[in-house]
PDB file of all heavy atoms in Angstrom:
ATOM      1  N   VAL A 305     -16.920  18.066 -16.371  1.00 88.00           N
ATOM      2  CA  VAL A 305     -17.948  18.095 -17.408  1.00 88.00           C
ATOM      3  C   VAL A 305     -17.398  17.698 -18.773  1.00 88.00           C
ATOM      4  O   VAL A 305     -18.164  17.445 -19.701  1.00 88.00           O
ATOM      5  CB  VAL A 305     -18.641  19.465 -17.518  1.00 88.00           C
ATOM      6  CG1 VAL A 305     -19.434  19.779 -16.261  1.00 88.00           C
ATOM      7  CG2 VAL A 305     -17.639  20.565 -17.818  1.00 88.00           C
ATOM      8  N   GLU A 306     -16.071  17.660 -18.901  1.00 88.00           N
ATOM      9  CA  GLU A 306     -15.496  17.211 -20.167  1.00 88.00           C
ATOM     10  C   GLU A 306     -15.695  15.712 -20.369  1.00 88.00           C
ATOM     11  O   GLU A 306     -15.641  15.223 -21.495  1.00 88.00           O
ATOM     12  CB  GLU A 306     -13.999  17.545 -20.211  1.00 88.00           C
ATOM     13  CG  GLU A 306     -13.695  19.034 -20.196  1.00 88.00           C
ATOM     14  CD  GLU A 306     -14.258  19.759 -21.402  1.00 88.00           C
ATOM     15  OE1 GLU A 306     -14.299  19.172 -22.496  1.00 88.00           O
ATOM     16  OE2 GLU A 306     -14.687  20.919 -21.246  1.00 88.00           O
ATOM     17  N   GLN A 309     -21.308  11.811 -19.671  1.00 78.00           N
ATOM     18  CA  GLN A 309     -22.186  11.630 -18.511  1.00 78.00           C
ATOM     19  C   GLN A 309     -22.294  10.164 -18.103  1.00 78.00           C
ATOM     20  O   GLN A 309     -22.461   9.857 -16.924  1.00 78.00           O
ATOM     21  CB  GLN A 309     -23.564  12.215 -18.811  1.00 78.00           C
ATOM     22  CG  GLN A 309     -23.569  13.734 -18.861  1.00 78.00           C
ATOM     23  CD  GLN A 309     -24.959  14.327 -19.027  1.00 78.00           C
ATOM     24  OE1 GLN A 309     -25.882  13.655 -19.470  1.00 78.00           O
ATOM     25  NE2 GLN A 309     -25.103  15.588 -18.674  1.00 78.00           N
ATOM     26  N   TYR A 346     -15.087  22.401 -12.310  1.00 89.00           N
ATOM     27  CA  TYR A 346     -15.424  22.743 -13.686  1.00 89.00           C
ATOM     28  C   TYR A 346     -15.630  24.238 -13.821  1.00 89.00           C
ATOM     29  O   TYR A 346     -15.716  24.965 -12.826  1.00 89.00           O
ATOM     30  CB  TYR A 346     -16.643  21.959 -14.185  1.00 89.00           C
ATOM     31  CG  TYR A 346     -17.992  22.383 -13.662  1.00 89.00           C
ATOM     32  CD1 TYR A 346     -18.862  23.126 -14.451  1.00 89.00           C
ATOM     33  CD2 TYR A 346     -18.419  22.001 -12.390  1.00 89.00           C
ATOM     34  CE1 TYR A 346     -20.121  23.489 -13.975  1.00 89.00           C
ATOM     35  CE2 TYR A 346     -19.676  22.350 -11.921  1.00 89.00           C
ATOM     36  CZ  TYR A 346     -20.520  23.103 -12.720  1.00 89.00           C
ATOM     37  OH  TYR A 346     -21.752  23.462 -12.250  1.00 89.00           O
ATOM     38  N   ASN A 347     -15.660  24.677 -15.054  1.00 88.00           N
ATOM     39  CA  ASN A 347     -15.801  26.090 -15.386  1.00 88.00           C
ATOM     40  C   ASN A 347     -17.233  26.357 -15.831  1.00 88.00           C
ATOM     41  O   ASN A 347     -17.616  25.979 -16.937  1.00 88.00           O
ATOM     42  CB  ASN A 347     -14.813  26.445 -16.511  1.00 88.00           C
ATOM     43  CG  ASN A 347     -14.890  27.913 -16.908  1.00 88.00           C
ATOM     44  OD1 ASN A 347     -15.732  28.667 -16.423  1.00 88.00           O
ATOM     45  ND2 ASN A 347     -14.014  28.314 -17.800  1.00 88.00           N
ATOM     46  N   PRO A 348     -18.055  27.000 -15.001  1.00 83.00           N
ATOM     47  CA  PRO A 348     -19.451  27.238 -15.380  1.00 83.00           C
ATOM     48  C   PRO A 348     -19.585  28.087 -16.632  1.00 83.00           C
ATOM     49  O   PRO A 348     -20.608  28.043 -17.309  1.00 83.00           O
ATOM     50  CB  PRO A 348     -20.031  27.975 -14.161  1.00 83.00           C
ATOM     51  CG  PRO A 348     -19.108  27.663 -13.035  1.00 83.00           C
ATOM     52  CD  PRO A 348     -17.754  27.513 -13.657  1.00 83.00           C
ATOM     53  N   GLY A 349     -18.539  28.852 -16.972  1.00 69.00           N
ATOM     54  CA  GLY A 349     -18.593  29.684 -18.166  1.00 69.00           C
ATOM     55  C   GLY A 349     -18.685  28.887 -19.444  1.00 69.00           C
ATOM     56  O   GLY A 349     -19.075  29.402 -20.484  1.00 69.00           O
ATOM     57  N   TYR A 350     -18.310  27.607 -19.379  1.00 61.00           N
ATOM     58  CA  TYR A 350     -18.359  26.755 -20.560  1.00 61.00           C
ATOM     59  C   TYR A 350     -19.577  25.851 -20.558  1.00 61.00           C
ATOM     60  O   TYR A 350     -19.684  24.934 -21.351  1.00 61.00           O
ATOM     61  CB  TYR A 350     -17.094  25.888 -20.651  1.00 61.00           C
ATOM     62  CG  TYR A 350     -15.874  26.663 -21.042  1.00 61.00           C
ATOM     63  CD1 TYR A 350     -14.617  26.315 -20.569  1.00 61.00           C
ATOM     64  CD2 TYR A 350     -15.965  27.761 -21.901  1.00 61.00           C
ATOM     65  CE1 TYR A 350     -13.483  27.028 -20.931  1.00 61.00           C
ATOM     66  CE2 TYR A 350     -14.838  28.482 -22.263  1.00 61.00           C
ATOM     67  CZ  TYR A 350     -13.597  28.104 -21.787  1.00 61.00           C
ATOM     68  OH  TYR A 350     -12.481  28.809 -22.149  1.00 61.00           O
ATOM     69  N   GLN A 351     -20.497  26.091 -19.643  1.00 53.00           N
ATOM     70  CA  GLN A 351     -21.675  25.243 -19.566  1.00 53.00           C
ATOM     71  C   GLN A 351     -22.503  25.337 -20.839  1.00 53.00           C
ATOM     72  O   GLN A 351     -22.624  26.367 -21.471  1.00 53.00           O
ATOM     73  CB  GLN A 351     -22.560  25.676 -18.393  1.00 53.00           C
ATOM     74  CG  GLN A 351     -22.131  25.118 -17.060  1.00 53.00           C
ATOM     75  CD  GLN A 351     -23.088  25.475 -15.948  1.00 53.00           C
ATOM     76  OE1 GLN A 351     -22.684  25.623 -14.820  1.00 53.00           O
ATOM     77  NE2 GLN A 351     -24.352  25.615 -16.254  1.00 53.00           N
ATOM     78  N   SER A 352     -23.106  24.242 -21.203  1.00 50.00           N
ATOM     79  CA  SER A 352     -24.096  24.206 -22.271  1.00 50.00           C
ATOM     80  C   SER A 352     -25.033  23.057 -21.949  1.00 50.00           C
ATOM     81  O   SER A 352     -24.809  22.281 -21.015  1.00 50.00           O
ATOM     82  CB  SER A 352     -23.434  23.981 -23.633  1.00 50.00           C
ATOM     83  OG  SER A 352     -22.907  22.667 -23.716  1.00 50.00           O
ATOM     84  N   LEU A 353     -26.090  22.934 -22.733  1.00 45.00           N
ATOM     85  CA  LEU A 353     -27.015  21.826 -22.497  1.00 45.00           C
ATOM     86  C   LEU A 353     -26.325  20.488 -22.701  1.00 45.00           C
ATOM     87  O   LEU A 353     -26.686  19.483 -22.092  1.00 45.00           O
ATOM     88  CB  LEU A 353     -28.224  21.952 -23.429  1.00 45.00           C
ATOM     89  CG  LEU A 353     -29.161  23.137 -23.146  1.00 45.00           C
ATOM     90  CD1 LEU A 353     -30.257  23.209 -24.199  1.00 45.00           C
ATOM     91  CD2 LEU A 353     -29.770  23.024 -21.755  1.00 45.00           C
ATOM     92  N   MET A 354     -25.338  20.480 -23.582  1.00 53.00           N
ATOM     93  CA  MET A 354     -24.628  19.233 -23.868  1.00 53.00           C
ATOM     94  C   MET A 354     -23.500  18.975 -22.869  1.00 53.00           C
ATOM     95  O   MET A 354     -23.084  17.844 -22.695  1.00 53.00           O
ATOM     96  CB  MET A 354     -24.059  19.270 -25.291  1.00 53.00           C
ATOM     97  CG  MET A 354     -25.111  19.372 -26.377  1.00 53.00           C
ATOM     98  SD  MET A 354     -26.266  17.978 -26.347  1.00 53.00           S
ATOM     99  CE  MET A 354     -25.158  16.655 -26.842  1.00 53.00           C
ATOM    100  N   LYS A 355     -22.969  20.062 -22.275  1.00 66.00           N
ATOM    101  CA  LYS A 355     -21.845  19.897 -21.358  1.00 66.00           C
ATOM    102  C   LYS A 355     -22.175  20.529 -20.021  1.00 66.00           C
ATOM    103  O   LYS A 355     -21.796  21.661 -19.738  1.00 66.00           O
ATOM    104  CB  LYS A 355     -20.582  20.528 -21.943  1.00 66.00           C
ATOM    105  CG  LYS A 355     -19.847  19.626 -22.914  1.00 66.00           C
ATOM    106  CD  LYS A 355     -18.451  20.132 -23.146  1.00 66.00           C
ATOM    107  CE  LYS A 355     -17.672  19.103 -23.955  1.00 66.00           C
ATOM    108  NZ  LYS A 355     -16.269  19.537 -24.167  1.00 66.00           N
ATOM    109  N   ASP A 356     -22.898  19.818 -19.219  1.00 75.00           N
ATOM    110  CA  ASP A 356     -23.189  20.254 -17.863  1.00 75.00           C
ATOM    111  C   ASP A 356     -23.400  19.001 -17.025  1.00 75.00           C
ATOM    112  O   ASP A 356     -23.642  17.916 -17.550  1.00 75.00           O
ATOM    113  CB  ASP A 356     -24.431  21.145 -17.839  1.00 75.00           C
ATOM    114  CG  ASP A 356     -24.580  21.881 -16.514  1.00 75.00           C
ATOM    115  OD1 ASP A 356     -23.617  21.860 -15.718  1.00 75.00           O
ATOM    116  OD2 ASP A 356     -25.646  22.471 -16.284  1.00 75.00           O
ATOM    117  N   LEU A 357     -23.283  19.165 -15.729  1.00 81.00           N
ATOM    118  CA  LEU A 357     -23.514  18.037 -14.838  1.00 81.00           C
ATOM    119  C   LEU A 357     -25.009  17.812 -14.656  1.00 81.00           C
ATOM    120  O   LEU A 357     -25.788  18.763 -14.580  1.00 81.00           O
ATOM    121  CB  LEU A 357     -22.868  18.302 -13.476  1.00 81.00           C
ATOM    122  CG  LEU A 357     -21.345  18.314 -13.419  1.00 81.00           C
ATOM    123  CD1 LEU A 357     -20.893  18.672 -12.016  1.00 81.00           C
ATOM    124  CD2 LEU A 357     -20.772  16.980 -13.839  1.00 81.00           C
ATOM    125  N   LYS A 358     -25.386  16.560 -14.554  1.00 82.00           N
ATOM    126  CA  LYS A 358     -26.772  16.250 -14.220  1.00 82.00           C
ATOM    127  C   LYS A 358     -27.087  16.742 -12.811  1.00 82.00           C
ATOM    128  O   LYS A 358     -26.210  16.782 -11.941  1.00 82.00           O
ATOM    129  CB  LYS A 358     -27.007  14.730 -14.276  1.00 82.00           C
ATOM    130  CG  LYS A 358     -26.895  14.116 -15.656  1.00 82.00           C
ATOM    131  CD  LYS A 358     -27.156  12.610 -15.553  1.00 82.00           C
ATOM    132  CE  LYS A 358     -27.126  11.948 -16.910  1.00 82.00           C
ATOM    133  NZ  LYS A 358     -27.378  10.484 -16.810  1.00 82.00           N
ATOM    134  N   LYS A 362     -24.875  16.911  -9.381  1.00 90.00           N
ATOM    135  CA  LYS A 362     -24.599  18.162  -8.667  1.00 90.00           C
ATOM    136  C   LYS A 362     -25.036  18.105  -7.208  1.00 90.00           C
ATOM    137  O   LYS A 362     -24.348  18.603  -6.311  1.00 90.00           O
ATOM    138  CB  LYS A 362     -25.317  19.323  -9.355  1.00 90.00           C
ATOM    139  CG  LYS A 362     -24.698  19.796 -10.649  1.00 90.00           C
ATOM    140  CD  LYS A 362     -25.486  20.993 -11.171  1.00 90.00           C
ATOM    141  CE  LYS A 362     -24.882  21.555 -12.438  1.00 90.00           C
ATOM    142  NZ  LYS A 362     -25.660  22.707 -12.954  1.00 90.00           N
TER     143      LYS A 362
END
Side-chain angles (χ1 to χ4, degrees):
V305 294
E306 296 298 326
Q309 289 186 340
Y346 74 103
N347 180 355
Y350 287 148
Q351 277 185 211
S352 69
L353 292 176
M354 297 300 292
K355 277 196 172 182
D356 193 11
L357 291 177
K358 293 180 177 180
K362 285 183 178 179

